[in-house]
Structures are given as structure tokens and as C-alpha cells.
Amino acid sequence: MESLLGIIFHSIGGFSSGSFYMPFKKVKDWAWESYWLIGGFFSWLIVPPIAAYLTIPNFTEIIATAAPSVKALAYTMGLIWGIGGLTYGLGVRYLGMSLGNSITLGFCSAFGALIPPIYYNFNAVEGKESISDMFANPGGQMVLAGVLICIIGIAILGKAGMLKEKDFATGHEDKDKDFSLVKGLIIAIVSGILSSFFNFGIEAAKPMADVANEAWKVMHPNQGEFLFQNNVSYIVILWGGLTTNFIWCIYLNFKNKTFSNYTDTKTPISKNILFSAIAGTMWFLQFFFYGMGESKLGNGASSWILHMSTIILTANFWGFYLKEWTGVTKKTFNTFMLGIGLIMLSIVVVGIGNSL
């Protein structure tokens, strides 16, 4: 039952993340950096402490009394992840919902599963599996095999992108005008690798989550693990993401002279803020539900890749809804579906390996 609840929570979070970019498509006459920043304020600054306040009454005390090294490492991982989150939106812009999410999150899945065990290989922590441990046991070997399958799937998706670009080069010049394979692939690779650092940020901030968890268990004996323990961790991690994204978006506002977006009455300011706020809130909810799923399954490779897989599936649903693959050849579409199938297979393989 615990595993089933974990899968359900991860699926809800994945659906929220895979859908969050849709409200941004309702924003009119604003530059990307303007609506990304407004959405980001809700994602990184406004909604996380509200969620923590509603679920962890003493969350400010937990943060204040946590070791400076814990907060510094969690914040640093947030900074690195922030660059990945920043480029994520650009990757979706240039590759589309389907391809952009699949490639970016494929890399995020693979590296998110590998970074913590690599770290623990050099900094051993009791109860944490290192990359050497994974190579030495059948379960770990299967997890690594799943990551390899995921990477092969990503390569095939890249091939599908090349075929799509070729299909759109002649006879479909009016479709998907922002599509750019080279720009999109570079951005998606960078975003996927750096976004995986959020998983490590959760590990770095675990001492704070543990305090929240133990306090709840004292008040609720014999009721399992605290569903919302990670809500206190997210605040510090997302401060790092806020820093990176705020600096970049303000820079673009200066460079592109788009500060007027926030006050230009010729644009639907209220609606733009509303849709940006909805997008930002939906984006945060992925981690709200990830924390609930993680409390049931643990923050291992299976939790991370399960979460990523539901995002990929949801994003591809929206990609089909937006008709991003309408007009491509059958070969292109089949190549794309093969890549998606391999990424989904990798999820199953990692899940089995994690259970051994």
C-alpha cells in the first residue's frame, strides 16, 4: 500500500510539472523573461513557505537551527539546479513540449539517479548506497542498466528531432517556427544535467527534513513517515533557484528593455500575472507531491525516475494536444515513439533494480 501511495503521489506531481508550461501560453505581449520571473516568484519565494507553514508549524525554527553547512550545501545545489530550471523553459521553446521535455527530463532522470551515489562514493554516509555498491550488487547493476537504456532513448529522441527538423524544412515552413534542434539540444542537455542537482539538494537538506519528520512522529506514533517533511527543505533549495533565475531575468529585462512589460497597460497585465502565477504554483506542486511520494518510497533512483517519467508522459500528452507532431513523416513519429518507449522501459528497469 505504501508503494502504491508513493506512485500515486509521484504521478500527481509529475502531471503538475508536465502541465505547468501550458498557462504560460496564455500570457500575451510579454517577453519570456518577464513572465518567467513572475511565475518564478510564486515557484521559489511565495508558495514554498506557504506550503511549509500549512504543514510544518515550526519550519522557521528548523531552518534557523540547522547547521550552516547543511543550509549552504542545499542552497548551492539550488543555485546549480536554478541554471537548469532557467534553461528548461528555453529548451521547451525551441524543441516543443514533447521533444523538449523528453530530452531534458531524460538527462535529468539519468543524472539525478547517478549523482547522489557518485557523491557517496567519495563521502560515505551510513545507509546511503555509493556507485561502487551499485556495481557490486545485482540490484545496483540493474539500476545502472536502466540509466543506460534511458540514455539510449535520449539519443533516439535526438534522432527524431533531426528528422522532425528535416520534415519541417520543406512544405511545413509555417509550423513550429520557434523549433531549432541545435539550440534546443544544447540547452536541453545543459538543463537536464543541472536540473538533476535538485535531487542532490534534497539529500543535502535531509537533516532539516529529518527534524520535521521526527517531531511529527513523536506527535503521531506508529503512523509511518511524515508526508510533508521535505517542505522545509524546499525553502532553502529554492532560495538558490530564485537567486540564479532572478539575476538572469533582470539582466534580460535590462538588455531587452522589457521592464515596461510589468506596467504597460496595452498588455493584459492582470491576466498575464494570473497565468504566470498559476504556472509557478503548478511548477512548485511537483515537489510538494514529490516529497509525499518520497516519504513512501525513499529518495532513491526509483523515486526520482518515477517522478521524471510521469512528467515526460504528461508533457507528451500536451505535445500531442498542441499537434506538435502533425505533419511529420511516419518514420519520424515512430522514431520518437521508440525513444519514449525506451525511456519508459528504463523506469521499469530502475524500479525493479531498486526493489532487489
Side-chain angles (χ1 to χ4, degrees):
M1 185 61 182
E2 294 291 292
S3 296
L4 178 60
L5 285 173
I7 291 171
I8 292 173
F9 292 143
H10 280 309
S11 297
I12 296 173
F15 178 81
S16 181
S17 177
S19 303
F20 94 94
Y21 208 84
M22 293 298 290
F24 279 140
K25 292 184 175 294
K26 298 290 186 180
V27 175
K28 306 296 183 184
D29 303 319
W30 272 17
W32 176 87
E33 58 269 20
S34 299
Y35 64 73
W36 189 259
L37 182 59
I38 295 298
F41 275 126
F42 283 85
S43 299
W44 315 310
L45 188 63
I46 298 173
V47 180
I50 292 175
Y53 174 79
L54 293 174
T55 55
I56 307 174
N58 62 334
F59 77 95
T60 54
E61 181 182 345
I62 294 175
I63 295 174
T65 57
S69 59
V70 170
K71 290 182 284 191
L73 185 56
Y75 177 80
T76 301
M77 294 301 101
L79 280 174
I80 298 172
W81 161 81
I83 300 173
L86 181 66
T87 52
Y88 173 84
L90 290 173
V92 172
R93 174 184 175 184
Y94 290 126
L95 294 177
M97 289 284 288
S98 293
L99 193 60
N101 275 283
S102 299
I103 292 178
T104 301
L105 297 176
F107 272 107
C108 193
S109 298
F111 283 89
L114 291 178
I115 287 174
I118 290 174
Y119 172 82
Y120 292 126
N121 202 66
F122 298 97
N123 299 274
V125 175
E126 186 178 354
K128 299 296 183 180
E129 188 176 42
S130 70
I131 194 73
S132 297
D133 295 331
M134 294 178 73
F135 275 111
N137 67 79
Q141 292 168 7
M142 184 163 284
V143 169
L144 294 173
V147 171
L148 178 60
I149 293 171
C150 182
I151 293 173
I152 294 172
I154 294 169
I156 292 175
L157 287 175
K159 175 64 175 178
M162 295 172 65
L163 293 173
K164 180 180 179 181
E165 188 173 54
K166 183 178 179 180
D167 291 343
F168 282 7
T170 56
H172 298 89
E173 289 82 357
D174 60 326
K175 292 190 66 63
D176 218 351
K177 294 179 180 179
D178 282 336
F179 185 82
S180 174
L181 182 66
V182 175
K183 285 183 181 179
L185 280 178
I186 293 173
I187 292 171
I189 291 170
V190 172
S191 177
I193 294 173
L194 298 185
S195 293
S196 66
F197 275 73
F198 198 98
N199 193 34
F200 190 54
I202 294 174
E203 290 288 332
K206 191 65 176 173
M208 291 188 290
D210 287 341
V211 172
N213 188 39
E214 292 304 316
W216 182 87
K217 288 167 74 173
V218 169
M219 298 295 293
H220 304 83
N222 303 317
Q223 294 188 33
E225 302 299 311
F226 184 31
L227 280 177
F228 306 110
Q229 58 184 275
N230 280 329
N231 285 351
V232 67
S233 303
Y234 294 150
I235 293 175
V236 178
I237 300 171
L238 292 174
W239 282 342
L242 171 66
T243 303
T244 306
N245 283 264
F246 179 80
I247 291 173
W248 181 247
C249 288
I250 292 296
Y251 164 75
L252 288 181
N253 278 145
F254 272 114
K255 178 184 176 182
N256 299 329
K257 300 179 180 179
T258 51
F259 272 112
S260 60
N261 286 163
Y262 308 117
T263 56
D264 187 357
T265 55
K266 294 180 181 179
T267 67
I269 297 176
S270 297
K271 287 185 177 180
N272 286 353
I273 292 175
L274 174 62
F275 285 119
S276 297
I278 292 172
T281 301
M282 289 178 65
W283 182 93
F284 171 76
L285 287 177
Q286 67 170 308
F287 294 115
F288 182 85
F289 285 102
Y290 180 89
M292 295 171 67
E294 184 263 350
S295 71
K296 299 298 183 182
L297 297 178
N299 191 38
S302 59
S303 259
W304 183 250
I305 292 190
L306 174 62
H307 179 71
M308 292 294 109
S309 69
T310 56
I311 300 175
I312 293 171
L313 286 175
T314 303
N316 279 290
F317 166 80
W318 289 117
F320 292 134
Y321 173 79
L322 295 171
K323 300 180 179 179
E324 292 177 348
W325 294 90
T326 300
V328 301
T329 64
K330 185 177 181 179
K331 177 183 178 182
T332 300
F333 185 76
N334 288 341
T335 302
F336 170 72
M337 292 304 295
L338 175 60
I340 292 295
L342 285 174
I343 289 181
M344 294 300 105
L345 175 62
S346 75
I347 309 306
V348 176
V349 173
V350 168
I352 295 173
N354 196 65
S355 66
L356 295 179

